[in-house]
Amino acid sequence: MDVTRTNNRIVAAVTGAAAAITGAAVAVTAAPAYAGPAATPALQTLALTPSPGAVAAGTTFAAPGAARAEATAITSRVTQPFSLLGATWTDPRTRLDGTVQVRTRATADGRWSTWRTLESDGTSPAAPGSVDAGGRGSTDPVWVGDSDAVEARVTNSDGAHALPMGLRLDLINPDADLPAAAVSATGAPASAAQVGGTAFTGAGLGRAAADTTVTVPPRPAPTMVGRAGWGANEAMVTDPPEYTTDVQVLFVHHTATSNDYSCADSARIVRGIQAYHVRSNGWNDIGYNFLVDKCGTLFEGRAGGTNRPVLGAHTLGFNAHSAAIAVIGDFTNVAASLTVQRVIAQVAAYKIGMYGHLATERTPLVSSGSDRFPAGTRVFLNRVSGHRDTGRTACPGNTLYGQLPTIRNLAGAAPGAFTIAQMTGAAKVGTAFYARGPIRPLWTTTTPTALLNRFDVIVDGTVVASAPRAYRTTPLILNPGRHLVTVRAYHLSGRAVSQTRIVVVDRTAPRYAAGPVVGLRGGPLDGSVPVWLRWTATDPGGLRAVTLTRPSVVALGTTAHAWASTAAPARPTTWSLRASDRAGNARTASVTRTPLLLTERVTTRTGRWGTVTGPGYLGGSTLRSITAGSTMTWTFTGLSASLAATRSPSSGRVRVYVDGRNAGLVDLRSATTRTRMAVWARSWSASATHTVRVVVEGTARRPGVALDGLVLLR
């Protein structure tokens, strides 16, 4: 790395006398007075060097006597505004064997913060030979909010190691490089530009046809705030991005900053980290590929394309074949929220799955040299690893590190609890669905949408539709016949699960193989005429229902072929049937008939008949005979006829002839007396003229019969 180039990036440097460094007790200088906001350079530096006569930085500190082995430099300075700071030193290959602590004064109220320890992960993680190599060693930066003064103290904990040469504080103002028009009143970029996600106007109709052309939605990138959205200083990046060959592992970091920041400041924090990595560390750009704040907002990190294997500066010895995401905050004792875990999992599934790998796997990487693994060491790593897996560091914090197994499972799982919940436009019968028009399979999954890729709809082995991850249905038009409809859900990791349903498409309505027809039947003639309705409805795909819709609504089922009903005498009655199949096709058929009464008085009679009157008889009277061989004959035109008579314990039998042929013997005896009864009936397929003759048998001990007339149907 060209140090001259790095120094040219420094907009301003605060220099001046520092407090004394002693080898014994700490002498704290008075805090400077609150002076209000000052000018706004992007970088200010404050040398942590000893005063004249003190032990020089870069030498071994040794405490005299019984005092602890420590040396502390205390620097108290009024500064120009800054919001993020860190400690840096000259040689990036040198570790900080000591502790740097800082406290800052807020510009809003002049109050001083508590002391914060700057976390150091060891030597620079920049890959050897990359544009990030060289520069300076550094601690992780700390977001302190808008401040205008700082105090620092440096402790050499064991007295046996030297502090690095050129140790200084670097104070970053994340808003200094932004053009005035790009900063809103709150200090955030005016543009909230985002990258990632998928624009999709709608899934097309799927057809079960060989010539179907399906547009597969592009694999969705995680939705994130792009570099323009968080106000990246592109002029600061002097060299083009570098690339590795692929992404085998995602390393999870934390920035080791405080967690009490407002998420409204997250873009400023990212800008500050970029400025620190470039101006202070001497790297070409921000070191991380991605950053996520505690609220779950994802930020694009290093430039070069989130869909490409950009070489970063994040994990010493393992930048090649990897990417990194940093969670803004300190997760040593604080857990990352489920939202943040899902964002990390989404990035892992996206970056690792892009190359056909699962986040739940392990893979070997060869170290280019780290403080744990010498160059050339082959190390087996989880594909979602913590920074500490490759270096001597606490990063990404104990609690977040303990959450990595959950994150791996989220990133590498198949879509959870996936099912086709409904098939809109189709009716389920047994295990199959029947439809006569377009259908919409509706599917569900418990996996968050952000962790999904897409859904494919497959008909009889052919992909006919592909829907984006946010969709849960798509319309389908299928050809008539039986089909296997499969919906396959793809996780962003590449894993997939499927659900299959049988769909029968039937556009042909049921037909009536017979009927409907109406005929007379036996039963009481108490103000109505008993009739039967007969039909035979069929459908190749199966009937779903047969319903009588007139003169009343009755569900007749799918296996019955006859139904007993009644009709008003001397008035036309219409019976309507609606037969529907499993797909919803329906056909209606109707028949209209009028019952008429031909009384006993309009007949041709032979033998002896006597008149019996009473309110129980049709028309108020009936004809009765006890003489064997007496006859009563009706000639009529109609479709059906029934004989009206009285049943009683003493009634005899009559023989019925139809058109001169014996139609059977009717016994009128019953346990109780019942007048106005239809005791015999006959129907024909078409209306015609017929003759019905009734002959009295003269039955022994009960020769009497009472005939009330003949009912016919037209």
Side-chain angles (χ1 to χ4, degrees):
M1 171 61 67
D2 185 352
V3 176
T4 301
R5 185 192 70 182
T6 301
N7 291 336
N8 287 339
R9 292 174 177 156
I10 299 175
V11 176
V14 177
T15 60
I21 300 177
T22 68
V26 177
V28 181
T29 60
Y34 176 66
T40 55
L43 170 66
Q44 305 168 73
T45 62
L46 180 60
L48 298 177
T49 55
S51 59
V55 181
T59 63
T60 300
F61 287 97
R68 290 184 302 164
E70 65 179 8
T72 303
I74 301 171
T75 302
S76 180
R77 289 298 305 271
V78 175
T79 68
Q80 298 182 52
F82 66 95
S83 300
L84 178 141
L85 61 79
T88 68
W89 51 92
T90 303
D91 187 353
R93 297 167 298 178
T94 300
R95 297 179 61 93
L96 172 63
D97 289 315
T99 301
V100 178
Q101 293 181 310
V102 297
R103 68 172 185 156
T104 57
R105 188 177 67 182
T107 59
D109 55 15
R111 293 185 180 181
W112 285 86
S113 70
T114 59
W115 287 97
R116 295 184 175 98
T117 299
L118 303 184
E119 183 173 311
S120 175
D121 292 331
T123 59
S124 170
S130 70
V131 296
D132 302 303
R136 295 175 62 82
S138 66
T139 66
D140 288 332
V142 172
W143 179 260
V144 295
D146 295 336
S147 304
D148 63 0
V150 61
E151 290 185 357
R153 60 190 184 192
V154 183
T155 302
N156 183 355
S157 58
D158 60 8
H161 296 85
L163 292 172
M165 296 295 297
L167 186 64
R168 75 187 190 199
L169 284 184
D170 285 38
L171 314 179
I172 299 293
N173 182 346
D175 302 323
D177 293 324
L178 286 176
V183 182
S184 69
T186 61
S191 169
Q194 291 188 334
V195 297
T198 301
F200 197 82
T201 56
L205 291 177
R207 299 176 184 271
D211 60 351
T212 298
T213 299
V214 177
T215 300
V216 177
R219 186 169 181 265
T223 299
M224 68 190 80
V225 178
R227 289 172 66 86
W230 56 262
N233 185 346
E234 303 298 358
M236 187 188 300
V237 182
T238 60
D239 290 305
E242 296 177 293
Y243 297 93
T244 182
T245 57
D246 58 4
V247 176
Q248 300 271 351
V249 173
L250 178 75
F251 287 106
V252 179
H253 296 247
H254 72 167
T255 61
T257 61
S258 64
N259 299 314
D260 58 358
Y261 63 90
S262 167
C263 289
D265 282 332
S266 295
R268 300 179 66 216
I269 296 173
V270 177
R271 288 202 304 275
I273 293 174
Q274 183 199 25
Y276 184 78
H277 284 179
V278 174
R279 299 184 185 281
S280 299
N281 291 13
W283 300 344
N284 188 53
D285 195 357
I286 191 169
Y288 306 118
N289 301 96
F290 304 91
L291 300 95
V292 58
D293 69 12
K294 64 184 180 181
C295 296
T297 301
L298 182 65
F299 296 86
E300 179 185 10
R302 176 162 289 214
T306 57
N307 61 338
R308 302 184 65 186
V310 178
L311 180 69
H314 46 76
T315 308
L316 179 63
F318 295 89
N319 290 304
H321 310 290
S322 70
I325 182 170
V327 187
I328 300 172
D330 185 341
F331 295 90
T332 302
N333 300 307
V334 176
S337 68
L338 179 58
T339 299
V340 171
Q341 293 179 61
R342 286 175 174 173
V343 171
I344 300 172
Q346 183 188 18
V347 172
Y350 175 70
K351 294 299 292 184
I352 298 171
M354 186 180 294
Y355 299 93
H357 308 305
L358 290 176
T360 50
E361 300 171 339
R362 290 173 61 83
T363 188
L365 289 185
V366 177
S367 172
S368 63
S370 78
D371 55 3
R372 282 191 63 185
F373 301 104
T377 305
R378 195 164 181 258
V379 182
F380 276 87
L381 296 167
N382 289 307
R383 291 200 185 272
V384 178
S385 284
H387 185 188
R388 66 175 62 180
D389 291 325
T390 61
R392 300 186 188 282
T393 173
C395 183
N398 290 338
T399 306
L400 178 54
Y401 188 79
Q403 293 175 304
L404 293 186
T406 299
I407 293 171
R408 290 185 199 107
N409 289 334
L410 286 171
F418 177 70
T419 187
I420 300 176
Q422 296 180 30
M423 193 74 71
T424 304
K428 186 177 182 181
V429 181
T431 59
F433 290 84
Y434 291 80
R436 60 190 175 93
I439 63 172
R440 278 185 172 271
L442 175 64
W443 55 85
T444 60
T445 176
T446 56
T447 297
T449 297
L451 288 169
L452 297 172
N453 181 357
R454 72 177 193 276
F455 301 94
D456 284 350
V457 181
I458 304 163
V459 177
D460 301 329
T462 300
V463 177
V464 299
S466 191
R469 62 184 179 184
Y471 280 51
R472 295 297 181 269
T473 185
T474 190
L476 290 178
I477 295 178
L478 305 179
N479 295 326
R482 184 179 184 274
H483 302 281
L484 292 179
V485 175
T486 300
V487 180
R488 183 169 296 153
Y490 290 89
H491 194 277
L492 198 57
S493 67
R495 293 187 64 182
V497 293
S498 300
Q499 285 268 303
T500 299
R501 298 289 185 265
I502 299 170
V503 178
V504 178
V505 177
D506 177 8
R507 300 195 182 115
T508 303
R511 69 182 188 89
Y512 292 91
V517 296
V518 176
L520 297 171
R521 63 180 177 86
L525 294 164
D526 295 329
S528 62
V529 177
V531 299
W532 51 254
L533 177 69
R534 288 194 173 95
W535 69 92
T536 301
T538 62
D539 187 88
L543 290 173
R544 185 180 184 185
V546 177
T547 304
L548 179 72
T549 60
R550 292 178 63 186
S552 59
V553 177
V554 179
L556 302 175
T558 59
T559 58
H561 298 285
W563 180 69
S565 182
T566 60
R571 287 191 297 177
T573 300
T574 298
W575 290 264
S576 294
L577 289 178
R578 185 179 187 273
S580 59
D581 61 20
R582 294 171 174 176
N585 303 294
R587 192 184 300 276
T588 299
S590 300
V591 59
T592 301
R593 295 291 179 258
T594 303
L596 297 174
L597 175 63
L598 301 179
T599 67
E600 72 282 5
R601 300 190 181 280
V602 298
T603 62
T604 301
R605 297 183 294 277
T606 64
R608 298 180 62 183
W609 295 90
T611 300
V612 179
T613 61
Y617 302 111
L618 294 174
S621 66
T622 187
L623 292 178
R624 186 173 184 277
S625 176
I626 59 173
T627 304
S630 297
T631 67
M632 190 177 292
T633 304
W634 292 268
T635 299
F636 59 90
T637 299
L639 287 161
S640 186
S642 63
L643 178 63
T646 296
R647 291 184 178 276
S648 70
S650 61
S651 295
R653 297 186 296 187
V654 296
R655 186 170 296 275
V656 181
Y657 294 85
V658 177
D659 298 332
R661 295 182 179 180
N662 184 358
L665 192 66
V666 179
D667 193 336
L668 300 178
R669 184 169 63 177
S670 69
T672 60
T673 299
R674 301 183 66 186
T675 60
R676 295 186 295 185
M677 296 294 295
V679 297
W680 169 91
R682 173 65 59 87
S683 296
W684 297 272
S685 60
S687 181
T689 300
H690 300 281
T691 298
V692 173
R693 182 165 62 93
V694 180
V695 180
V696 179
E697 183 187 53
T699 311
R701 292 185 297 277
R702 49 185 183 93
V705 296
L707 303 182
D708 224 356
L710 191 75
V711 181
L712 63 92
L713 195 65
R714 289 179 178 171

